[in-house]
Amino acid sequence: MAASNLDVVTGAFGYTGKYIAERLLSMGRKVRTITGHPDRPDPFGGRVEAFPFNFDNPSKLVESLKDAATLYNTYWIRFDHEGITFDKAVENTKILIKAAEDAGIKRIVHISITNPSEDSYLPYFRGKGILEKAIINSRLSYAIIRPTVTFGLEDILINNIVWLLRKFPVFAIPGTGEYKLQPVFAGDVADIAVNAGQKDSNLIIDAVGPEIYTFEELVKLIAKNIHSKARIVYAPRRMALSISKIIGYVENDVLLTRDEIEGLMANLLISDKPATGKIRFSDWFSENADKIGTRYSSELKRHYR
Protein backbone atom coordinates (compact mmCIF):
# COMPACT_ATOMS: atom_id res chain seq x y z
CA MET A 1 0.00 0.00 0.00
CA ALA A 2 1.33 3.44 -0.93
CA ALA A 3 2.12 5.79 1.93
CA SER A 4 -0.59 8.35 2.65
CA ASN A 5 -0.08 11.88 1.38
CA LEU A 6 -2.44 13.25 4.06
CA ASP A 7 -1.45 14.79 7.39
CA VAL A 8 -3.65 16.13 10.19
CA VAL A 9 -2.74 19.32 12.05
CA THR A 10 -4.68 20.34 15.13
CA GLY A 11 -5.35 24.07 15.18
CA ALA A 12 -4.25 24.82 11.61
CA PHE A 13 -6.37 27.98 11.65
CA GLY A 14 -4.50 29.20 14.75
CA TYR A 15 -0.86 30.15 15.37
CA THR A 16 1.77 27.40 15.43
CA GLY A 17 -0.57 25.03 13.64
CA LYS A 18 -0.93 27.48 10.76
CA TYR A 19 2.83 27.60 10.22
CA ILE A 20 3.00 23.79 10.26
CA ALA A 21 0.12 23.50 7.78
CA GLU A 22 1.79 26.04 5.47
CA ARG A 23 5.01 24.01 5.47
CA LEU A 24 3.17 20.78 4.69
CA LEU A 25 1.14 22.35 1.87
CA SER A 26 4.31 23.79 0.33
CA MET A 27 5.67 20.23 0.19
CA GLY A 28 2.64 19.04 -1.74
CA ARG A 29 1.08 17.29 1.25
CA LYS A 30 -2.66 17.22 1.78
CA VAL A 31 -3.69 18.75 5.11
CA ARG A 32 -6.72 18.25 7.28
CA THR A 33 -7.27 20.14 10.51
CA ILE A 34 -9.10 19.33 13.70
CA THR A 35 -10.03 22.55 15.43
CA GLY A 36 -12.21 24.11 18.08
CA HIS A 37 -13.38 26.61 15.45
CA PRO A 38 -14.15 24.72 12.21
CA ASP A 39 -16.38 27.55 10.98
CA ARG A 40 -13.74 30.25 11.20
CA PRO A 41 -12.41 31.84 8.00
CA ASP A 42 -9.99 29.48 6.27
CA PRO A 43 -6.61 31.19 5.71
CA PHE A 44 -5.71 28.51 3.16
CA GLY A 45 -8.44 29.21 0.62
CA GLY A 46 -10.17 25.86 0.99
CA ARG A 47 -7.03 23.73 0.75
CA VAL A 48 -7.43 22.51 4.34
CA GLU A 49 -10.43 20.39 5.29
CA ALA A 50 -11.71 21.22 8.79
CA PHE A 51 -13.37 19.03 11.43
CA PRO A 52 -14.31 19.77 15.06
CA PHE A 53 -12.34 18.19 17.89
CA ASN A 54 -15.19 15.90 19.03
CA PHE A 55 -13.41 14.95 22.24
CA ASP A 56 -16.81 13.94 23.61
CA ASN A 57 -17.40 11.61 20.64
CA PRO A 58 -14.21 9.56 20.09
CA SER A 59 -15.67 7.57 17.18
CA LYS A 60 -16.16 10.79 15.19
CA LEU A 61 -12.68 11.91 16.17
CA VAL A 62 -11.29 8.63 14.83
CA GLU A 63 -13.12 9.19 11.54
CA SER A 64 -11.57 12.64 11.13
CA LEU A 65 -8.11 11.11 11.61
CA LYS A 66 -8.47 8.17 9.25
CA ASP A 67 -6.24 7.77 6.20
CA ALA A 68 -3.66 10.23 7.57
CA ALA A 69 0.02 9.39 7.93
CA THR A 70 1.02 11.85 10.66
CA LEU A 71 -0.75 13.85 13.34
CA TYR A 72 0.81 17.21 14.21
CA ASN A 73 -0.65 18.18 17.57
CA THR A 74 -0.59 21.79 18.79
CA TYR A 75 -3.69 21.53 21.01
CA TRP A 76 -3.25 23.04 24.46
CA ILE A 77 -4.52 25.92 26.61
CA ARG A 78 -2.76 28.86 28.25
CA PHE A 79 -5.06 28.96 31.28
CA ASP A 80 -8.25 27.50 32.75
CA HIS A 81 -11.40 29.02 31.26
CA GLU A 82 -15.09 28.13 31.07
CA GLY A 83 -14.63 24.60 32.36
CA ILE A 84 -11.63 23.84 30.17
CA THR A 85 -8.93 23.26 32.77
CA PHE A 86 -5.41 21.96 32.39
CA ASP A 87 -6.63 18.58 33.69
CA LYS A 88 -9.38 18.62 31.05
CA ALA A 89 -6.86 19.53 28.34
CA VAL A 90 -4.71 16.56 29.41
CA GLU A 91 -7.77 14.29 29.28
CA ASN A 92 -8.74 15.63 25.85
CA THR A 93 -5.23 15.08 24.49
CA LYS A 94 -5.18 11.52 25.77
CA ILE A 95 -8.47 10.96 23.92
CA LEU A 96 -6.81 12.38 20.80
CA ILE A 97 -3.80 10.06 21.18
CA LYS A 98 -6.07 7.01 21.55
CA ALA A 99 -8.12 8.12 18.53
CA ALA A 100 -4.91 8.44 16.48
CA GLU A 101 -3.97 4.88 17.42
CA ASP A 102 -7.44 3.60 16.51
CA ALA A 103 -7.39 5.51 13.20
CA GLY A 104 -4.15 3.81 12.15
CA ILE A 105 -1.97 6.90 12.25
CA LYS A 106 1.67 5.88 12.40
CA ARG A 107 3.37 8.99 13.83
CA ILE A 108 2.56 11.90 16.08
CA VAL A 109 4.51 15.15 16.22
CA HIS A 110 3.55 16.78 19.50
CA ILE A 111 4.24 20.39 20.46
CA SER A 112 5.24 20.45 24.13
CA ILE A 113 7.37 23.00 26.03
CA THR A 114 10.93 23.21 27.31
CA ASN A 115 11.52 21.68 30.73
CA PRO A 116 8.17 19.92 31.27
CA SER A 117 7.80 17.79 34.38
CA GLU A 118 5.09 15.52 35.73
CA ASP A 119 6.13 16.73 39.19
CA SER A 120 6.00 20.47 38.46
CA TYR A 121 3.90 22.63 40.77
CA LEU A 122 2.94 24.65 37.70
CA PRO A 123 -0.10 23.10 35.96
CA TYR A 124 1.06 24.18 32.49
CA PHE A 125 4.43 22.43 32.75
CA ARG A 126 3.00 19.48 34.71
CA GLY A 127 0.33 18.82 32.07
CA LYS A 128 2.93 18.91 29.32
CA GLY A 129 5.06 16.39 31.23
CA ILE A 130 2.11 14.04 31.73
CA LEU A 131 1.29 14.14 28.03
CA GLU A 132 4.86 13.46 26.96
CA LYS A 133 4.78 10.27 29.04
CA ALA A 134 1.42 9.30 27.50
CA ILE A 135 2.84 9.72 24.00
CA ILE A 136 6.02 7.81 24.79
CA ASN A 137 3.89 4.94 26.16
CA SER A 138 1.50 4.96 23.18
CA ARG A 139 1.67 2.71 20.12
CA LEU A 140 2.60 5.68 17.95
CA SER A 141 5.99 6.58 16.59
CA TYR A 142 6.64 10.06 17.98
CA ALA A 143 8.55 13.29 17.81
CA ILE A 144 8.13 15.62 20.78
CA ILE A 145 9.02 19.23 20.04
CA ARG A 146 9.78 21.50 23.00
CA PRO A 147 9.63 25.21 22.10
CA THR A 148 10.34 28.08 24.46
CA VAL A 149 8.63 31.46 23.89
CA THR A 150 7.50 31.46 20.27
CA PHE A 151 7.50 34.74 18.34
CA GLY A 152 5.81 35.71 15.10
CA LEU A 153 3.40 38.31 13.77
CA GLU A 154 0.45 36.36 15.22
CA ASP A 155 2.00 35.98 18.68
CA ILE A 156 0.13 37.17 21.75
CA LEU A 157 2.69 37.34 24.57
CA ILE A 158 5.44 39.26 22.75
CA ASN A 159 2.83 41.43 21.03
CA ASN A 160 1.37 42.50 24.34
CA ILE A 161 4.77 43.31 25.86
CA VAL A 162 5.29 45.66 22.91
CA TRP A 163 1.76 47.07 23.29
CA LEU A 164 2.39 47.82 26.98
CA LEU A 165 5.65 49.59 26.15
CA ARG A 166 3.86 51.67 23.51
CA LYS A 167 0.79 52.55 25.56
CA PHE A 168 1.84 53.03 29.19
CA PRO A 169 4.33 55.40 30.83
CA VAL A 170 5.65 52.64 33.12
CA PHE A 171 6.54 48.99 32.44
CA ALA A 172 6.91 46.68 35.46
CA ILE A 173 9.45 43.84 35.27
CA PRO A 174 8.77 41.07 37.81
CA GLY A 175 11.66 40.67 40.24
CA THR A 176 15.18 41.51 39.06
CA GLY A 177 14.61 40.67 35.40
CA GLU A 178 17.82 38.61 35.37
CA TYR A 179 16.10 35.30 34.58
CA LYS A 180 16.50 34.15 30.98
CA LEU A 181 14.51 33.13 27.93
CA GLN A 182 15.42 31.86 24.48
CA PRO A 183 12.78 32.98 21.96
CA VAL A 184 12.20 30.88 18.86
CA PHE A 185 10.51 31.90 15.59
CA ALA A 186 7.20 30.17 14.87
CA GLY A 187 8.39 29.32 11.37
CA ASP A 188 11.46 27.59 12.81
CA VAL A 189 9.24 25.57 15.16
CA ALA A 190 7.18 24.50 12.14
CA ASP A 191 10.31 23.51 10.19
CA ILE A 192 11.61 21.48 13.11
CA ALA A 193 8.23 19.79 13.55
CA VAL A 194 7.74 18.96 9.86
CA ASN A 195 11.31 17.69 9.47
CA ALA A 196 10.79 15.47 12.51
CA GLY A 197 7.53 14.24 11.00
CA GLN A 198 9.42 12.84 8.01
CA LYS A 199 11.63 10.62 10.19
CA ASP A 200 10.90 7.19 11.65
CA SER A 201 12.80 7.23 14.94
CA ASN A 202 11.40 8.49 18.23
CA LEU A 203 12.72 11.98 18.95
CA ILE A 204 12.59 14.67 21.62
CA ILE A 205 13.85 18.01 20.32
CA ASP A 206 14.14 21.39 22.03
CA ALA A 207 12.96 24.08 19.59
CA VAL A 208 15.03 27.06 20.71
CA GLY A 209 16.38 30.15 19.04
CA PRO A 210 20.01 31.21 18.63
CA GLU A 211 19.81 34.10 21.14
CA ILE A 212 19.40 34.03 24.93
CA TYR A 213 18.26 37.15 26.78
CA THR A 214 17.57 38.08 30.31
CA PHE A 215 13.99 39.31 30.50
CA GLU A 216 15.34 42.78 31.29
CA GLU A 217 17.50 42.69 28.14
CA LEU A 218 14.55 41.60 26.01
CA VAL A 219 12.30 44.38 27.31
CA LYS A 220 15.00 47.00 26.79
CA LEU A 221 15.71 45.72 23.26
CA ILE A 222 12.02 46.02 22.40
CA ALA A 223 11.73 49.44 24.01
CA LYS A 224 14.74 50.73 22.08
CA ASN A 225 13.42 49.47 18.73
CA ILE A 226 9.99 51.06 19.14
CA HIS A 227 11.40 54.23 20.76
CA SER A 228 9.30 53.67 23.86
CA LYS A 229 9.44 56.35 26.54
CA ALA A 230 8.06 54.01 29.21
CA ARG A 231 9.99 53.98 32.46
CA ILE A 232 11.10 50.44 33.28
CA VAL A 233 10.66 49.57 36.96
CA TYR A 234 11.13 46.40 39.00
CA ALA A 235 8.25 44.96 41.01
CA PRO A 236 7.73 41.92 43.25
CA ARG A 237 6.20 39.08 41.22
CA ARG A 238 2.91 39.27 43.10
CA MET A 239 2.62 42.97 42.36
CA ALA A 240 3.48 42.39 38.69
CA LEU A 241 0.82 39.69 38.50
CA SER A 242 -1.72 41.98 40.18
CA ILE A 243 -0.96 44.73 37.66
CA SER A 244 -1.41 42.26 34.80
CA LYS A 245 -4.75 41.17 36.28
CA ILE A 246 -5.96 44.77 36.35
CA ILE A 247 -4.97 45.31 32.72
CA GLY A 248 -6.56 41.97 31.80
CA TYR A 249 -9.78 43.02 33.52
CA VAL A 250 -9.86 46.27 31.54
CA GLU A 251 -9.22 44.39 28.28
CA ASN A 252 -11.61 41.56 29.22
CA ASP A 253 -8.79 39.07 28.86
CA VAL A 254 -5.97 37.32 30.74
CA LEU A 255 -2.79 39.28 30.06
CA LEU A 256 -0.38 37.03 31.96
CA THR A 257 -0.72 33.94 34.15
CA ARG A 258 1.02 32.80 37.30
CA ASP A 259 2.45 29.80 35.43
CA GLU A 260 3.96 32.09 32.81
CA ILE A 261 5.60 34.39 35.37
CA GLU A 262 6.79 31.54 37.59
CA GLY A 263 8.05 29.48 34.65
CA LEU A 264 9.93 32.44 33.24
CA MET A 265 11.47 33.39 36.58
CA ALA A 266 12.48 29.75 37.17
CA ASN A 267 14.47 29.78 33.90
CA LEU A 268 12.24 27.12 32.34
CA LEU A 269 12.14 28.93 28.99
CA ILE A 270 15.74 28.27 28.02
CA SER A 271 17.52 25.09 26.99
CA ASP A 272 20.91 23.57 27.69
CA LYS A 273 20.84 22.05 24.19
CA PRO A 274 22.28 23.67 21.05
CA ALA A 275 20.05 26.13 19.21
CA THR A 276 17.74 24.49 16.67
CA GLY A 277 16.04 27.64 15.36
CA LYS A 278 17.76 29.89 12.84
CA ILE A 279 15.97 33.23 13.02
CA ARG A 280 17.40 35.70 15.53
CA PHE A 281 14.78 37.57 17.52
CA SER A 282 16.83 40.77 17.36
CA ASP A 283 16.92 40.71 13.55
CA TRP A 284 13.28 39.72 13.18
CA PHE A 285 12.05 42.35 15.60
CA SER A 286 14.05 45.18 14.05
CA GLU A 287 12.46 44.28 10.68
CA ASN A 288 8.92 43.99 12.08
CA ALA A 289 8.86 46.49 14.96
CA ASP A 290 6.30 48.73 13.29
CA LYS A 291 3.87 45.79 12.90
CA ILE A 292 3.98 44.50 16.48
CA GLY A 293 2.07 45.77 19.49
CA THR A 294 0.05 48.42 17.69
CA ARG A 295 -3.04 47.00 19.35
CA TYR A 296 -3.80 44.62 22.19
CA SER A 297 -4.05 40.93 21.24
CA SER A 298 -6.70 38.99 23.19
CA GLU A 299 -6.29 35.31 24.05
CA LEU A 300 -9.96 34.99 24.95
CA LYS A 301 -11.11 36.64 21.73
CA ARG A 302 -8.87 34.38 19.65
CA HIS A 303 -9.87 31.10 21.24
CA TYR A 304 -13.20 31.49 23.02
CA ARG A 305 -15.29 34.09 21.18
Side-chain angles (χ1 to χ4, degrees), residues 68-81:
T70 302
L71 168 64
Y72 292 85
N73 179 44
T74 71
Y75 169 73
W76 193 236
I77 60 173
R78 267 186 63 203
F79 46 78
D80 296 350
H81 184 71

Side-chain angles (χ1 to χ4, degrees), residues 4 16 37 83 92-93 106 109 111 142 144 150 159-160 165 193 199 204 207 216 218 220 234:
S4 171
T16 306
H37 309 282
N92 286 343
T93 307
K106 301 301 182 186
V109 179
I111 305 300
Y142 65 83
I144 294 169
T150 305
N159 178 87
N160 289 343
L165 285 165
K199 301 183 186 302
I204 298 177
E216 177 186 48
L218 185 76
K220 289 183 176 180
Y234 302 84

Side-chain angles (χ1 to χ4, degrees), residues 200-273:
D200 296 320
S201 58
N202 294 331
L203 302 168
I204 298 177
I205 304 171
D206 282 6
V208 293
E211 295 178 320
I212 296 176
Y213 297 93
T214 67
F215 186 65
E216 177 186 48
E217 288 171 342
L218 185 76
V219 170
K220 289 183 176 180
L221 172 69
I222 292 170
K224 180 179 179 180
N225 272 273
I226 64 172
H227 308 291
S228 171
K229 296 181 180 180
R231 180 186 174 197
I232 296 172
V233 299
Y234 302 84
R237 69 181 71 187
R238 288 185 179 180
M239 181 181 293
L241 186 57
S242 295
I243 293 169
S244 73
K245 285 181 177 179
I246 293 169
I247 296 171
Y249 178 79
V250 172
E251 295 295 329
N252 194 21
D253 189 36
V254 177
L255 175 64
L256 197 63
T257 72
R258 182 183 74 104
D259 278 27
E260 288 163 348
I261 289 181
E262 296 283 346
L264 174 60
M265 296 183 74
N267 284 307
L268 297 181
L269 297 178
I270 58 172
S271 171
D272 58 2
K273 308 288 194 306

Side-chain angles (χ1 to χ4, degrees), residues 54-302:
N54 282 319
F55 293 127
D56 58 346
N57 193 334
S59 62
K60 284 190 175 181
L61 185 55
V62 170
E63 285 298 318
S64 60
L65 292 166
K66 276 189 174 177
D67 302 321
T70 302
L71 168 64
Y72 292 85
N73 179 44
T74 71
Y75 169 73
W76 193 236
I77 60 173
R78 267 186 63 203
F79 46 78
D80 296 350
H81 184 71
E82 293 184 349
I84 304 298
T85 64
F86 284 113
D87 287 343
K88 185 64 175 177
V90 168
E91 178 186 334
N92 286 343
T93 307
K94 287 182 176 180
I95 292 170
L96 178 65
I97 295 166
K98 177 63 164 55
E101 292 176 328
D102 293 345
I105 281 182
K106 301 301 182 186
R107 187 164 179 81
I108 183 171
V109 179
H110 174 72
I111 305 300
S112 185
I113 190 139
T114 46
N115 301 298
S117 171
E118 294 178 84
D119 301 320
S120 176
Y121 71 98
L122 300 172
Y124 191 108
F125 290 83
R126 182 172 65 247
K128 290 290 192 180
I130 292 170
L131 288 176
E132 287 195 8
K133 183 176 181 180
I135 289 168
I136 290 168
N137 291 334
S138 75
R139 302 195 306 268
L140 302 169
S141 164
Y142 65 83
I144 294 169
I145 312 301
R146 294 173 167 174
T148 50
V149 174
T150 305
F151 64 88
L153 291 177
E154 306 87 350
D155 173 60
I156 286 180
L157 292 174
I158 296 292
N159 178 87
N160 289 343
I161 290 174
V162 182
W163 177 79
L164 290 167
L165 285 165
R166 290 189 191 279
K167 184 176 179 65
F168 293 92
V170 176
F171 184 96
I173 289 179
T176 64
E178 294 178 356
Y179 39 86
K180 297 178 180 179
L181 68 164
Q182 194 170 354
V184 60
F185 179 54
D188 283 342
V189 175
D191 287 339
I192 293 164
V194 170
N195 288 339
Q198 311 307 304
K199 301 183 186 302
D200 296 320
S201 58
N202 294 331
L203 302 168
I204 298 177
I205 304 171
D206 282 6
V208 293
E211 295 178 320
I212 296 176
Y213 297 93
T214 67
F215 186 65
E216 177 186 48
E217 288 171 342
L218 185 76
V219 170
K220 289 183 176 180
L221 172 69
I222 292 170
K224 180 179 179 180
N225 272 273
I226 64 172
H227 308 291
S228 171
K229 296 181 180 180
R231 180 186 174 197
I232 296 172
V233 299
Y234 302 84
R237 69 181 71 187
R238 288 185 179 180
M239 181 181 293
L241 186 57
S242 295
I243 293 169
S244 73
K245 285 181 177 179
I246 293 169
I247 296 171
Y249 178 79
V250 172
E251 295 295 329
N252 194 21
D253 189 36
V254 177
L255 175 64
L256 197 63
T257 72
R258 182 183 74 104
D259 278 27
E260 288 163 348
I261 289 181
E262 296 283 346
L264 174 60
M265 296 183 74
N267 284 307
L268 297 181
L269 297 178
I270 58 172
S271 171
D272 58 2
K273 308 288 194 306
T276 47
K278 299 176 181 178
I279 302 298
R280 296 164 57 92
F281 177 80
S282 56
D283 295 337
W284 179 88
F285 191 79
S286 68
E287 294 172 5
N288 293 278
D290 60 335
K291 304 173 187 175
I292 308 296
T294 56
R295 64 182 65 184
Y296 182 82
S297 184
S298 170
E299 182 81 17
L300 291 182
K301 186 177 294 184
R302 178 178 293 186

